Short mmCIF file of all heavy atoms in Angstrom, two decimals:
data_model
loop_
_atom_site.label_atom_id
_atom_site.label_comp_id
_atom_site.label_asym_id
_atom_site.label_seq_id
_atom_site.Cartn_x
_atom_site.Cartn_y
_atom_site.Cartn_z
N VAL A 224 -50.20 170.56 -46.34
CA VAL A 224 -50.44 169.91 -47.63
C VAL A 224 -50.73 170.93 -48.74
O VAL A 224 -50.20 170.84 -49.84
CB VAL A 224 -51.58 168.88 -47.52
CG1 VAL A 224 -51.95 168.34 -48.90
CG2 VAL A 224 -51.18 167.73 -46.59
N SER A 225 -51.58 171.90 -48.44
CA SER A 225 -51.93 172.89 -49.47
C SER A 225 -50.71 173.71 -49.87
O SER A 225 -50.59 174.15 -51.02
CB SER A 225 -53.06 173.80 -48.99
OG SER A 225 -52.68 174.51 -47.82
N VAL A 226 -49.80 173.91 -48.93
CA VAL A 226 -48.56 174.64 -49.24
C VAL A 226 -47.71 173.83 -50.20
O VAL A 226 -47.17 174.35 -51.19
CB VAL A 226 -47.78 174.96 -47.96
CG1 VAL A 226 -46.47 175.66 -48.30
CG2 VAL A 226 -48.62 175.81 -47.01
N LEU A 227 -47.57 172.54 -49.93
CA LEU A 227 -46.81 171.66 -50.81
C LEU A 227 -47.39 171.68 -52.23
O LEU A 227 -46.66 171.82 -53.22
CB LEU A 227 -46.81 170.24 -50.25
CG LEU A 227 -46.10 169.16 -51.06
CD1 LEU A 227 -44.62 169.47 -51.23
CD2 LEU A 227 -46.28 167.79 -50.39
N ASP A 228 -48.70 171.57 -52.33
CA ASP A 228 -49.35 171.59 -53.64
C ASP A 228 -49.12 172.92 -54.36
O ASP A 228 -48.86 172.97 -55.57
CB ASP A 228 -50.85 171.35 -53.50
CG ASP A 228 -51.20 169.90 -53.18
OD1 ASP A 228 -50.36 169.02 -53.46
OD2 ASP A 228 -52.30 169.65 -52.65
N ALA A 229 -49.20 174.03 -53.60
CA ALA A 229 -49.03 175.36 -54.21
C ALA A 229 -47.62 175.54 -54.75
O ALA A 229 -47.43 176.14 -55.82
CB ALA A 229 -49.35 176.44 -53.18
N LEU A 230 -46.63 175.03 -54.04
CA LEU A 230 -45.24 175.14 -54.50
C LEU A 230 -45.04 174.38 -55.81
O LEU A 230 -44.36 174.86 -56.74
CB LEU A 230 -44.29 174.62 -53.43
CG LEU A 230 -44.21 175.46 -52.15
CD1 LEU A 230 -43.41 174.72 -51.09
CD2 LEU A 230 -43.58 176.82 -52.43
N ILE A 231 -45.63 173.21 -55.90
CA ILE A 231 -45.51 172.42 -57.13
C ILE A 231 -46.26 173.09 -58.27
O ILE A 231 -45.75 173.19 -59.40
CB ILE A 231 -46.04 170.99 -56.88
CG1 ILE A 231 -45.10 170.26 -55.91
CG2 ILE A 231 -46.15 170.22 -58.19
CD1 ILE A 231 -45.62 168.92 -55.45
N ASP A 232 -47.47 173.59 -57.97
CA ASP A 232 -48.24 174.27 -59.01
C ASP A 232 -47.52 175.51 -59.54
O ASP A 232 -47.70 175.89 -60.70
CB ASP A 232 -49.61 174.69 -58.46
CG ASP A 232 -50.53 173.50 -58.21
OD1 ASP A 232 -50.23 172.41 -58.73
OD2 ASP A 232 -51.53 173.67 -57.48
N ALA A 233 -46.70 176.13 -58.69
CA ALA A 233 -45.96 177.32 -59.10
C ALA A 233 -44.69 176.98 -59.89
O ALA A 233 -43.97 177.89 -60.32
CB ALA A 233 -45.59 178.15 -57.87
N GLY A 234 -44.43 175.70 -60.07
CA GLY A 234 -43.31 175.28 -60.90
C GLY A 234 -42.02 175.00 -60.15
O GLY A 234 -40.97 174.77 -60.77
N HIS A 235 -42.07 174.98 -58.83
CA HIS A 235 -40.87 174.70 -58.05
C HIS A 235 -40.60 173.20 -58.00
O HIS A 235 -41.53 172.39 -58.08
CB HIS A 235 -41.00 175.26 -56.64
CG HIS A 235 -41.10 176.76 -56.60
ND1 HIS A 235 -40.04 177.57 -56.89
CD2 HIS A 235 -42.15 177.58 -56.32
CE1 HIS A 235 -40.41 178.84 -56.79
NE2 HIS A 235 -41.69 178.87 -56.44
N GLU A 236 -39.35 172.85 -57.82
CA GLU A 236 -38.95 171.44 -57.72
C GLU A 236 -38.77 171.07 -56.24
O GLU A 236 -37.97 171.69 -55.54
CB GLU A 236 -37.64 171.20 -58.47
CG GLU A 236 -37.15 169.76 -58.39
CD GLU A 236 -35.80 169.56 -59.04
OE1 GLU A 236 -35.26 170.54 -59.60
OE2 GLU A 236 -35.27 168.42 -58.97
N ILE A 237 -39.50 170.09 -55.79
CA ILE A 237 -39.37 169.61 -54.42
C ILE A 237 -38.32 168.50 -54.40
O ILE A 237 -38.58 167.39 -54.86
CB ILE A 237 -40.72 169.10 -53.86
CG1 ILE A 237 -41.83 170.14 -54.08
CG2 ILE A 237 -40.57 168.73 -52.39
CD1 ILE A 237 -41.60 171.45 -53.38
N VAL A 238 -37.14 168.82 -53.91
CA VAL A 238 -36.05 167.84 -53.98
C VAL A 238 -36.13 166.81 -52.86
O VAL A 238 -35.57 165.71 -52.98
CB VAL A 238 -34.68 168.54 -53.96
CG1 VAL A 238 -34.49 169.35 -55.24
CG2 VAL A 238 -34.51 169.44 -52.74
N ALA A 239 -36.81 167.13 -51.76
CA ALA A 239 -37.00 166.18 -50.67
C ALA A 239 -38.09 166.69 -49.75
O ALA A 239 -38.28 167.91 -49.60
CB ALA A 239 -35.71 165.97 -49.89
N VAL A 240 -38.83 165.76 -49.15
CA VAL A 240 -39.87 166.09 -48.19
C VAL A 240 -39.51 165.44 -46.86
O VAL A 240 -39.22 164.24 -46.80
CB VAL A 240 -41.26 165.59 -48.65
CG1 VAL A 240 -42.29 165.75 -47.55
CG2 VAL A 240 -41.69 166.32 -49.91
N PHE A 241 -39.53 166.24 -45.80
CA PHE A 241 -39.32 165.73 -44.45
C PHE A 241 -40.61 165.92 -43.66
O PHE A 241 -41.23 166.98 -43.73
CB PHE A 241 -38.18 166.48 -43.74
CG PHE A 241 -36.81 166.00 -44.12
CD1 PHE A 241 -36.32 166.17 -45.41
CD2 PHE A 241 -36.00 165.38 -43.17
CE1 PHE A 241 -35.07 165.74 -45.76
CE2 PHE A 241 -34.73 164.93 -43.52
CZ PHE A 241 -34.25 165.10 -44.81
N CYS A 242 -41.00 164.89 -42.92
CA CYS A 242 -42.21 164.97 -42.10
C CYS A 242 -42.04 164.08 -40.87
O CYS A 242 -41.05 163.37 -40.74
CB CYS A 242 -43.44 164.56 -42.90
SG CYS A 242 -43.36 162.88 -43.56
N GLN A 243 -43.01 164.13 -39.98
CA GLN A 243 -42.98 163.27 -38.80
C GLN A 243 -43.23 161.82 -39.20
O GLN A 243 -43.91 161.54 -40.20
CB GLN A 243 -44.04 163.71 -37.81
CG GLN A 243 -43.72 165.03 -37.11
CD GLN A 243 -42.62 164.87 -36.09
OE1 GLN A 243 -42.78 164.23 -35.07
NE2 GLN A 243 -41.47 165.47 -36.36
N PRO A 244 -42.68 160.86 -38.44
CA PRO A 244 -42.87 159.44 -38.77
C PRO A 244 -44.34 159.02 -38.67
O PRO A 244 -45.12 159.66 -37.95
CB PRO A 244 -42.04 158.71 -37.72
CG PRO A 244 -41.10 159.73 -37.17
CD PRO A 244 -41.81 161.05 -37.27
N PRO A 245 -44.73 157.97 -39.38
CA PRO A 245 -46.08 157.42 -39.21
C PRO A 245 -46.31 157.03 -37.75
O PRO A 245 -45.38 156.59 -37.06
CB PRO A 245 -46.09 156.19 -40.12
CG PRO A 245 -45.01 156.47 -41.14
CD PRO A 245 -43.96 157.24 -40.41
N ARG A 246 -47.55 157.19 -37.31
CA ARG A 246 -47.88 156.84 -35.92
C ARG A 246 -49.14 155.98 -35.89
O ARG A 246 -49.98 156.06 -36.79
CB ARG A 246 -48.09 158.11 -35.10
CG ARG A 246 -46.80 158.88 -34.85
CD ARG A 246 -47.01 159.99 -33.83
NE ARG A 246 -45.74 160.57 -33.41
CZ ARG A 246 -45.12 161.56 -34.00
NH1 ARG A 246 -45.68 162.11 -35.08
NH2 ARG A 246 -43.97 162.03 -33.56
N PRO A 247 -49.31 155.16 -34.83
CA PRO A 247 -50.50 154.32 -34.73
C PRO A 247 -51.76 155.18 -34.69
O PRO A 247 -51.80 156.20 -34.01
CB PRO A 247 -50.30 153.58 -33.40
CG PRO A 247 -48.83 153.61 -33.15
CD PRO A 247 -48.36 154.91 -33.73
N ALA A 248 -52.77 154.75 -35.44
CA ALA A 248 -54.03 155.50 -35.48
C ALA A 248 -55.17 154.54 -35.81
O ALA A 248 -54.95 153.44 -36.34
CB ALA A 248 -53.96 156.61 -36.52
N GLY A 249 -56.39 154.95 -35.50
CA GLY A 249 -57.55 154.14 -35.81
C GLY A 249 -57.74 153.01 -34.82
O GLY A 249 -56.95 152.81 -33.89
N ARG A 250 -58.79 152.26 -35.03
CA ARG A 250 -59.12 151.17 -34.09
C ARG A 250 -58.05 150.08 -34.06
O ARG A 250 -57.78 149.48 -33.04
CB ARG A 250 -60.47 150.56 -34.47
CG ARG A 250 -61.64 151.52 -34.25
CD ARG A 250 -62.97 150.86 -34.56
NE ARG A 250 -64.08 151.76 -34.30
CZ ARG A 250 -65.35 151.45 -34.50
NH1 ARG A 250 -65.66 150.24 -34.99
NH2 ARG A 250 -66.31 152.32 -34.24
N GLY A 251 -57.43 149.84 -35.22
CA GLY A 251 -56.42 148.80 -35.28
C GLY A 251 -55.05 149.26 -34.81
O GLY A 251 -54.13 148.46 -34.68
N LYS A 252 -54.92 150.56 -34.54
CA LYS A 252 -53.65 151.13 -34.09
C LYS A 252 -52.49 150.80 -35.03
O LYS A 252 -51.37 150.57 -34.61
CB LYS A 252 -53.32 150.67 -32.66
CG LYS A 252 -54.31 151.15 -31.62
CD LYS A 252 -54.35 152.68 -31.54
CE LYS A 252 -55.33 153.18 -30.49
NZ LYS A 252 -55.42 154.65 -30.45
N LYS A 253 -52.80 150.79 -36.32
CA LYS A 253 -51.75 150.56 -37.31
C LYS A 253 -51.07 151.89 -37.64
O LYS A 253 -51.69 152.94 -37.57
CB LYS A 253 -52.35 149.95 -38.59
CG LYS A 253 -52.93 148.55 -38.40
CD LYS A 253 -53.45 147.99 -39.72
CE LYS A 253 -53.99 146.58 -39.53
NZ LYS A 253 -54.52 146.03 -40.82
N ASP A 254 -49.79 151.81 -38.00
CA ASP A 254 -49.07 153.03 -38.36
C ASP A 254 -49.73 153.71 -39.56
O ASP A 254 -49.99 153.05 -40.59
CB ASP A 254 -47.62 152.70 -38.70
CG ASP A 254 -46.77 152.52 -37.45
OD1 ASP A 254 -47.29 152.78 -36.35
OD2 ASP A 254 -45.61 152.10 -37.57
#
C-alpha cells in the first residue's frame, strides 16, 4: 500500500491495479 501511495505522490499515473481476490475474513466470514 505504501508503495502505491508513493508512486501516486511522485506524479505517476496508475493505469490499472491488480491484486488477489477478496477472501472470507472475520467472524462473519464475509469477503
Side-chain angles (χ1 to χ4, degrees):
V224 173
S225 60
V226 177
L227 178 60
D228 286 339
L230 292 171
I231 292 172
D232 289 345
H235 295 290
E236 179 185 358
I237 309 298
V238 293
V240 172
F241 279 66
C242 59
Q243 288 287 293
R246 290 190 170 88
R250 293 183 178 179
K252 296 298 180 183
K253 294 182 179 179
D254 280 353

